Amino acid sequence: MPNDLDTTPRKQPAQARARATVQAILDATAQVLVEQGYDRATTNVIARRAGVSIGSLYQYFPNKEALVTALAERHMAEMATMLVREVGLLRTRRLPEAIRALIEALLRAHAVEPALHRVLIEQVPRLSGLEQVANMDRMFVELIRRELEQREERLRPGDLELAVFLLVHAVQGITHAAVFECPGALGDGRLAQEITDLVLRYLVAE
Amino acid sequence: MPNDLDTTPRKQPAQARARATVQAILDATAQVLVEQGYDRATTNVIARRAGVSIGSLYQYFPNKEALVTALAERHMAEMATMLVREVGLLRTRRLPEAIRALIEALLRAHAVEPALHRVLIEQVPRLSGLEQVANMDRMFVELIRRELEQREERLRPGDLELAVFLLVHAVQGITHAAVFECPGALGDGRLAQEITDLVLRYLVAE
Amino acid sequence: MPNDLDTTPRKQPAQARARATVQAILDATAQVLVEQGYDRATTNVIARRAGVSIGSLYQYFPNKEALVTALAERHMAEMATMLVREVGLLRTRRLPEAIRALIEALLRAHAVEPALHRVLIEQVPRLSGLEQVANMDRMFVELIRRELEQREERLRPGDLELAVFLLVHAVQGITHAAVFECPGALGDGRLAQEITDLVLRYLVAE
Amino acid sequence: MPNDLDTTPRKQPAQARARATVQAILDATAQVLVEQGYDRATTNVIARRAGVSIGSLYQYFPNKEALVTALAERHMAEMATMLVREVGLLRTRRLPEAIRALIEALLRAHAVEPALHRVLIEQVPRLSGLEQVANMDRMFVELIRRELEQREERLRPGDLELAVFLLVHAVQGITHAAVFECPGALGDGRLAQEITDLVLRYLVAE
DNA sequence: TATGAATGAGAGTTCATTCAT
DNA sequence: TATGAATGAACTCTCATTCAT
């Protein structure tokens, strides 16, 4: 499944007008992607939705893939922003509170644009470099790993590597299912609590 | 994301030769899907790979979507077959053994054609009936729910509905991650053991 | 000026109908090329002129360049056919008659489709591997070289390599000019005679 | 091959700065044409190479064709300048020396920017006024004709019209071949000598 | 019934050119 | 006057699908 297109954006918009155009294009991409899916999201439709000519779109993005990649990166960055705040505080907390806080932050991050997140996850992995979105989740939960290693002796599982693999993907699976099936539940504290329970009971003996 | 095509296969192949043709087409579809990805899997390439003319392909499948749907159904049925055996035995076992057995069966089922499972999950744009694959996993783990309800009083979680949602998607997330990232581990007993631990510790109070 | 497209035809037409289609496409290419020039000869226009859908065109030719290359090859082959007859006889003749015969054959070959030859020469050299047409002329006059080497001692020029370079391109320049400016003169015996004179007076000392 | 664009430059640059801009644009055109070929030489690329905005380019040239035409005219004028010097002296010389001098001048003129000359000849699709380059060569060797008519009685060929046609295109063919295939040879005296031989032996009996 | 040649809507993309700033 | 963002007609090419043989 090679996919060798260059996805680096074509030029940085310098003037304010150009920046607005790029924003409009990315917004339109998100909308059309969510409404129509990847295949039906043609560059011409996106341009029209953005109120911009097709030529303008290609001034800033060398191809469709680059466009979606840029959108994914923007989305990722937004989610990451919501998480970094929390991360700094982890060290200062005891395990249960740390886990709980992380999971709440993760759910909040997924609650921002769940429909877009879904379409990026679901339809876009055919694109090259687009593990980014997946990486997003992964990178984030890599944090769990570091935290856990710090407190290794107090933890139950023998193989911490395996434990992290399990937890990362368990939490991710639950989160994505919530995004897909009942986005409303993302903000519900009970979900966060329950996930925290799942994680903690697995990690800590008794 | 409307998807209004008729995906019912065109005709039931009556003769043995016709059945063989259909099998060949589905096999070719699986191969090309795995090797090239969904977008590059054109109907003409699939027909050639199947050693069949494009016209014959369309004799049995009204469109590409029906073709992929049929493949997904076949794949699903194969996985289901591996699970039903186990299901009958659940009642006769105590919870830990029941869970363990189910999870092992699930992992074995995913180990059969992990690459195909992956491409069906990841790349196939949401086909009309193609939540089927997702449903597959879901339907299967629906069993967990029935089992759990039977033993509700001995379980820790208050909201069993929520608990099942969590476990289903946690296990699914882990399983798919294993399929994607280290298919080899699917047969490894340690993974099954660890997942069982995760589930049991969540379900049962110390 | 790289031009890295694969110009090998896509598939050999097997059925008679397909062979007719390919012929029609090549004929249309020649017509449109002559009437409109290379840039205006779009694949859609060529297909329409051939009375064939654009899809059919691309069944047999992977891209526009391959199409023109195939036409050039066909044209070349036709010209070559007209020359090989003459070539066999060279050995049996004395120098003046040999030269005269060759030049007459060359002029006759250029007289077949001068307008097409012109457009291929003029507009097409931007295409990769399309030195073919130029090669055509070159290859042909390579014969002169071999002939001359056989009779080297009776010839005036000291540096035969240089002499051949001169004559080849002199004759080519004259021929193409005749094609471009007065295609009618190609069949005129006086032109052949005069070119023969030019060549012979240069080659043979009084 | 209609070609109905207006190729007259848009305005004569009056100020020195404007003249410099025009020069820069023409220089850039020549560079890009040589480096990338006609098709890849887009107006935007040329403007950037010239260090000028695309808007400025269109201030001086109404369209791409006018741009290339202007470049061709400049190139032609430069070559012509190198030749006129020689022309004045023709009358004062005897035939062999006159021919030799002309041919040397012609080769020198082609040696100045052979790569540009080649690309203008080869790749530039027939622009409205772009027989100019061809005319260049032609116009120049028109001189030969006048000279020859002056000395008609001492010459061998009966039909001088035809003889001139032959010689003009023979010399042109050789010159262009040298430009294309071994630009180095243009300065080599042996080539000039040999061409002179070819011409003289054709023109003069014994 | 099987074949594969033929179809054509529509996709992505380019680039000469315009025009508001 | 100079800028460069914006334009959009037009291009090449794909691929699911049809239908004459």
Side-chain angles (χ1 to χ4, degrees):
Chain A
M1 281 165 278
N3 225 322
D4 312 331
L5 290 174
D6 186 4
T7 61
T8 49
R10 227 162 204 168
K11 62 176 172 189
Q12 253 37 356
Q15 302 179 7
R17 181 160 63 121
R19 260 199 308 280
T21 298
V22 168
Q23 289 311 313
I25 292 170
L26 288 177
D27 291 345
T29 305
Q31 287 172 33
V32 177
L33 228 38
V34 167
E35 289 167 21
Q36 317 263 5
Y38 183 81
D39 286 338
R40 301 237 241 251
T42 72
T43 51
N44 278 284
V45 165
I46 290 172
R48 198 171 316 128
R49 176 68 70 91
V52 144
S53 77
I54 182 63
S56 288
L57 189 155
Y58 278 93
Q59 291 245 335
Y60 299 104
F61 302 98
N63 50 56
K64 185 181 174 180
E65 193 166 331
L67 179 57
V68 179
T69 300
L71 175 64
E73 271 163 4
R74 191 179 78 167
H75 176 65
M76 232 178 68
E78 277 166 13
M79 289 185 70
T81 302
M82 303 194 60
L83 294 173
V84 278
R85 245 173 297 159
E86 226 55 48
V87 172
L89 303 170
L90 286 181
R91 290 286 143 78
T92 70
R93 290 173 171 149
R94 307 184 58 221
L95 190 65
E97 286 76 33
I99 299 275
R100 169 88 202 229
L102 259 178
I103 284 171
E104 277 181 341
L106 182 63
L107 291 177
R108 271 200 309 278
H110 277 86
V112 178
E113 287 200 84
L116 176 60
H117 194 73
R118 172 176 194 168
V119 83
L120 288 175
I121 292 276
E122 262 195 353
Q123 304 207 353
V124 165
R126 334 181 206 166
L127 302 185
S128 65
L130 224 53
E131 304 122 22
Q132 293 166 338
V133 178
N135 278 341
M136 169 68 241
D137 296 337
R138 211 173 293 153
M139 180 202 69
F140 159 73
V141 263
E142 172 67 10
L143 298 171
I144 292 187
R145 173 191 216 119
R146 297 216 191 105
E147 282 306 308
L148 296 188
E149 277 169 354
Q150 298 264 333
R151 327 196 190 200
E152 193 160 8
E153 66 238 24
R154 271 166 290 166
L155 302 180
R156 187 196 57 83
D159 183 344
L160 203 56
E161 176 106 28
L162 181 56
V164 169
F165 179 87
L166 244 69
L167 291 178
V168 161
H169 293 109
V171 172
Q172 217 169 302
I174 296 164
T175 309
H176 284 155
V179 168
F180 291 1
E181 291 172 27
C182 45
L186 289 170
D188 179 353
R190 284 167 57 237
L191 183 60
Q193 181 56 55
E194 211 62 18
I195 298 175
T196 309
D197 277 2
L198 178 70
V199 170
L200 280 177
R201 298 185 66 85
Y202 173 73
L203 276 179
V204 189
E206 174 38 344
Chain B
M1 275 168 280
N3 225 321
D4 315 329
L5 290 174
D6 182 8
T7 63
T8 50
R10 227 155 204 172
K11 57 178 174 190
Q12 304 309 0
Q15 303 173 12
R17 184 156 65 101
R19 258 200 311 282
T21 300
V22 167
Q23 289 310 313
I25 292 171
L26 289 179
D27 290 346
T29 306
Q31 286 171 33
V32 177
L33 229 38
V34 166
E35 288 167 21
Q36 317 261 7
Y38 182 82
D39 288 340
R40 301 236 238 258
T42 73
T43 50
N44 279 281
V45 165
I46 290 171
R48 196 171 320 128
R49 176 70 70 93
V52 147
S53 76
I54 182 66
S56 292
L57 187 154
Y58 275 88
Q59 209 117 58
Y60 295 106
F61 301 96
N63 51 54
K64 186 181 177 181
E65 193 166 328
L67 179 58
V68 178
T69 301
L71 174 65
E73 273 164 3
R74 189 179 80 167
H75 176 63
M76 236 177 65
E78 277 166 13
M79 288 184 72
T81 302
M82 302 194 60
L83 294 174
V84 278
R85 244 174 298 161
E86 224 56 45
V87 172
L89 304 171
L90 286 182
R91 292 284 143 77
T92 71
R93 289 173 172 149
R94 307 183 57 222
L95 190 65
E97 285 75 33
I99 299 275
R100 169 86 202 231
L102 260 179
I103 285 171
E104 276 182 340
L106 182 64
L107 291 177
R108 270 201 309 277
H110 277 88
V112 178
E113 286 200 87
L116 176 59
H117 194 74
R118 172 175 196 168
V119 85
L120 286 175
I121 294 273
E122 255 195 331
Q123 300 203 357
V124 174
R126 297 304 138 213
L127 302 181
S128 55
L130 215 52
E131 299 128 23
Q132 293 166 337
V133 178
N135 279 342
M136 170 66 242
D137 296 337
R138 210 174 294 153
M139 180 202 69
F140 158 72
V141 262
E142 173 68 9
L143 298 170
I144 292 188
R145 173 189 216 120
R146 298 216 190 103
E147 281 306 308
L148 295 189
E149 278 169 353
Q150 298 264 334
R151 328 197 190 198
E152 192 159 9
E153 66 238 24
R154 269 165 291 163
L155 303 180
R156 187 194 57 83
D159 182 345
L160 205 55
E161 176 105 28
L162 182 55
V164 170
F165 178 87
L166 244 68
L167 290 178
V168 161
H169 292 110
V171 173
Q172 214 168 304
I174 296 164
T175 310
H176 283 156
V179 168
F180 292 0
E181 289 172 28
C182 45
L186 288 171
D188 179 353
R190 283 166 58 236
L191 183 61
Q193 179 57 55
E194 209 65 16
I195 298 176
T196 308
D197 276 3
L198 178 70
V199 170
L200 280 177
R201 298 184 66 86
Y202 173 72
L203 277 179
V204 189
E206 189 44 2
Chain C
M1 280 164 278
N3 225 322
D4 311 332
L5 291 175
D6 186 5
T7 60
T8 49
R10 226 160 204 169
K11 61 176 173 189
Q12 253 36 357
Q15 303 179 8
R17 181 160 62 121
R19 259 198 309 281
T21 298
V22 168
Q23 289 312 313
I25 292 170
L26 288 178
D27 290 346
T29 305
Q31 287 170 35
V32 177
L33 227 40
V34 166
E35 288 167 20
Q36 317 263 5
Y38 182 81
D39 287 337
R40 301 236 242 251
T42 74
T43 51
N44 277 285
V45 165
I46 290 172
R48 197 170 319 128
R49 175 69 70 90
V52 145
S53 77
I54 182 65
S56 289
L57 188 155
Y58 278 93
Q59 290 245 336
Y60 298 104
F61 302 97
N63 49 56
K64 185 180 173 179
E65 193 166 332
L67 179 58
V68 178
T69 300
L71 175 64
E73 272 163 4
R74 190 178 80 166
H75 176 64
M76 233 177 68
E78 277 166 13
M79 287 185 71
T81 302
M82 301 194 61
L83 293 174
V84 277
R85 243 172 298 159
E86 224 57 45
V87 171
L89 302 171
L90 286 181
R91 290 286 143 75
T92 69
R93 289 172 173 148
R94 307 184 57 221
L95 189 66
E97 285 75 33
I99 298 275
R100 170 86 203 233
L102 259 180
I103 284 171
E104 276 181 341
L106 181 64
L107 291 177
R108 272 199 309 277
H110 277 86
V112 177
E113 286 200 85
L116 176 60
H117 194 74
R118 173 176 193 167
V119 84
L120 287 175
I121 292 276
E122 262 194 354
Q123 304 207 355
V124 165
R126 332 179 207 168
L127 303 185
S128 65
L130 222 54
E131 304 121 23
Q132 294 167 336
V133 178
N135 277 343
M136 170 66 243
D137 296 337
R138 210 173 294 153
M139 181 203 68
F140 158 73
V141 262
E142 172 68 10
L143 298 170
I144 292 187
R145 173 192 217 116
R146 297 217 191 103
E147 281 306 308
L148 295 189
E149 277 169 353
Q150 298 265 332
R151 328 195 189 200
E152 193 160 7
E153 67 235 26
R154 271 164 292 165
L155 302 180
R156 187 195 57 82
D159 183 344
L160 205 56
E161 176 105 28
L162 181 56
V164 169
F165 178 87
L166 244 69
L167 289 178
V168 161
H169 293 110
V171 172
Q172 215 167 303
I174 296 164
T175 309
H176 284 154
V179 168
F180 292 1
E181 290 172 27
C182 45
L186 288 171
D188 179 353
R190 282 165 58 239
L191 183 61
Q193 179 57 55
E194 209 65 16
I195 298 176
T196 308
D197 277 3
L198 177 70
V199 171
L200 280 178
R201 297 185 67 84
Y202 173 73
L203 276 179
V204 190
E206 189 44 1
Chain D
M1 277 170 280
N3 224 321
D4 315 329
L5 290 174
D6 183 7
T7 62
T8 49
R10 228 157 202 172
K11 59 179 172 188
Q12 303 310 356
Q15 304 174 9
R17 183 158 65 102
R19 259 201 309 282
T21 300
V22 167
Q23 288 310 313
I25 292 172
L26 289 179
D27 290 345
T29 306
Q31 286 171 33
V32 177
L33 229 37
V34 166
E35 287 168 21
Q36 317 261 7
Y38 182 82
D39 288 339
R40 300 237 238 258
T42 72
T43 51
N44 279 282
V45 165
I46 290 171
R48 196 171 319 127
R49 175 70 70 92
V52 148
S53 76
I54 182 66
S56 291
L57 187 154
Y58 275 89
Q59 209 117 57
Y60 295 107
F61 301 96
N63 52 54
K64 188 181 177 181
E65 191 166 330
L67 179 58
V68 179
T69 301
L71 174 65
E73 273 164 2
R74 190 179 79 167
H75 176 64
M76 231 177 68
E78 277 166 14
M79 288 185 71
T81 302
M82 302 193 61
L83 293 173
V84 277
R85 245 173 298 161
E86 224 57 45
V87 172
L89 303 170
L90 286 181
R91 291 285 144 75
T92 71
R93 289 172 171 150
R94 307 183 59 223
L95 189 65
E97 285 75 33
I99 298 274
R100 169 88 204 230
L102 259 179
I103 283 171
E104 276 182 341
L106 181 64
L107 291 177
R108 270 200 310 275
H110 277 87
V112 177
E113 286 201 86
L116 176 60
H117 194 74
R118 173 176 194 166
V119 86
L120 286 175
I121 293 273
E122 253 196 334
Q123 300 204 355
V124 174
R126 297 303 138 214
L127 303 180
S128 55
L130 216 52
E131 300 129 22
Q132 293 165 338
V133 178
N135 278 342
M136 168 67 242
D137 295 338
R138 210 173 294 151
M139 179 202 69
F140 158 72
V141 262
E142 172 67 10
L143 299 170
I144 292 187
R145 172 189 217 121
R146 298 216 191 104
E147 282 305 307
L148 295 189
E149 278 168 352
Q150 298 264 332
R151 328 194 191 202
E152 191 159 8
E153 67 239 24
R154 270 165 292 163
L155 302 180
R156 187 194 57 82
D159 183 345
L160 203 56
E161 176 106 28
L162 181 56
V164 170
F165 178 87
L166 243 70
L167 289 179
V168 161
H169 293 110
V171 173
Q172 213 169 304
I174 296 164
T175 309
H176 283 154
V179 168
F180 291 0
E181 290 173 27
C182 44
L186 289 171
D188 179 352
R190 281 166 59 237
L191 182 62
Q193 179 58 53
E194 209 65 15
I195 298 176
T196 309
D197 277 3
L198 177 71
V199 170
L200 280 178
R201 297 186 67 85
Y202 174 72
L203 278 178
V204 190
E206 174 34 344

